[in-house]
Amino acid sequence: MAKYFDVHPDNPQPRAISQVAASVRDGALIAYPTDSCYALGCRLGSRDGIERIRAIRHLDDRHHFTLVCQDFAQLGQFVRVDNDVFRAIKASTPGSYTFILPATREVPRRLMHPRKKTVGVRIPDHVVAQALLTELGEPLLSSTLLLPDEEEPLTQGWEIKDRLDHVLDAVVDSGDCGTEPTTVIDFSSGEAEIVRRGAGDVSRFE
């Protein structure tokens, strides 16, 4: 059974955030809010968490997982960013974007795209997600909470708890955060390629 945390969207309770972060450190798989949909999240090195996300979402090994980072300094530990790309990403974060970039050695091989050796990264503009990342002190390995054969992500905490109670360890509910996923920009070739048009404005990358 998943623990349920009712967290204030603007002033998240420190005790609740601390408990969620502790559970992630202990290997928990959680559902948590971001600035574009709810996401599944676990610790970066959690092999069990990765396999559980794959099972819930029916993902193959070509899926780009996302490292959800607290800030640009943390993001820079896990991906290689040249000067031009740096400026473009810096101007768009925090926000509803996922950027695909070449991974550094800090990223476990099983998280990378098997051929391209890339990984997705993002910095969310969401109070609760940021509070959790600050408390955790490391990125959350994440994937949009979009179930197989469904067109839109789940966006109500109580529904997530009800439907995924048996496969999650915790649900962090801070209210509706929308159904539009991030805009995905692939910078792995050095040029911006729009992979998915979502909540982030794509005009600056066209």
Side-chain angles (χ1 to χ4, degrees), residues 29-30 40-42 48-59 63 65 141-144:
L29 176 62
I30 68 170
L40 297 168
C42 66
D48 176 65
I50 295 165
E51 293 311 313
R52 289 166 70 188
I53 292 173
R54 287 192 193 278
I56 290 168
R57 292 205 53 203
H58 295 184
L59 301 173
H63 177 75
F65 282 99
L141 171 67
S142 293
S143 184
T144 302

Side-chain angles (χ1 to χ4, degrees), residues 3-7 13-33 41 128 131-133 135-136 140 169-173:
K3 293 181 180 176
Y4 181 78
F5 295 89
D6 187 3
V7 177
Q13 302 91 316
R15 185 166 180 270
I17 294 297
S18 178
Q19 289 176 328
V20 175
S23 69
V24 171
R25 291 189 198 101
D26 289 339
L29 176 62
I30 68 170
Y32 71 101
V128 175
L132 180 55
L133 291 165
E135 180 68 24
L136 193 59
L140 272 167
D169 299 305
V171 175
V172 182
D173 186 356

Side-chain angles (χ1 to χ4, degrees), residues 29-162:
L29 176 62
I30 68 170
Y32 71 101
T34 76
D35 50 344
S36 59
C37 314
Y38 275 81
L40 297 168
C42 66
R43 196 170 189 182
L44 176 60
S46 174
R47 185 187 297 268
D48 176 65
I50 295 165
E51 293 311 313
R52 289 166 70 188
I53 292 173
R54 287 192 193 278
I56 290 168
R57 292 205 53 203
H58 295 184
L59 301 173
D60 61 28
D61 64 0
R62 296 186 302 276
H63 177 75
H64 267 110
F65 282 99
T66 299
L67 303 184
V68 178
C69 301
Q70 178 186 350
D71 53 28
F72 211 91
Q74 191 177 74
L75 180 149
Q77 297 173 41
F78 298 94
V79 289
R80 297 196 302 275
V81 186
D82 67 27
N83 288 338
D84 290 339
V85 173
F86 175 92
R87 284 191 289 272
I89 296 177
K90 186 77 170 174
S92 308
T93 55
S96 301
Y97 297 91
T98 298
F99 299 100
I100 297 172
L101 290 158
T104 68
R105 292 180 180 179
E106 299 294 319
V107 179
R109 289 182 66 86
R110 62 182 174 273
L111 300 186
M112 300 180 195
H113 187 283
R115 183 170 54 82
K116 297 180 179 180
K117 302 297 183 282
T118 51
V119 71
V121 287
R122 68 170 300 219
I123 303 170
D125 187 14
H126 191 282
V127 172
V128 175
Q130 279 291 342
L132 180 55
L133 291 165
T134 300
E135 180 68 24
L136 193 59
E138 60 183 73
L140 272 167
L141 171 67
S142 293
S143 184
T144 302
L145 212 174
L146 179 62
L147 298 181
D149 302 321
E150 297 196 9
E151 293 185 2
E152 291 193 339
L154 298 178
T155 191
Q156 299 290 343
W158 61 266
E159 184 183 12
I160 295 168
K161 166 86 162 111
D162 186 53

Side-chain angles (χ1 to χ4, degrees), residues 64 85 100-102 116 118 185-193:
H64 267 110
V85 173
I100 297 172
L101 290 158
K116 297 180 179 180
T118 51
I185 309 293
D186 188 342
F187 270 117
S188 58
S189 67
E191 300 290 329
E193 178 188 347

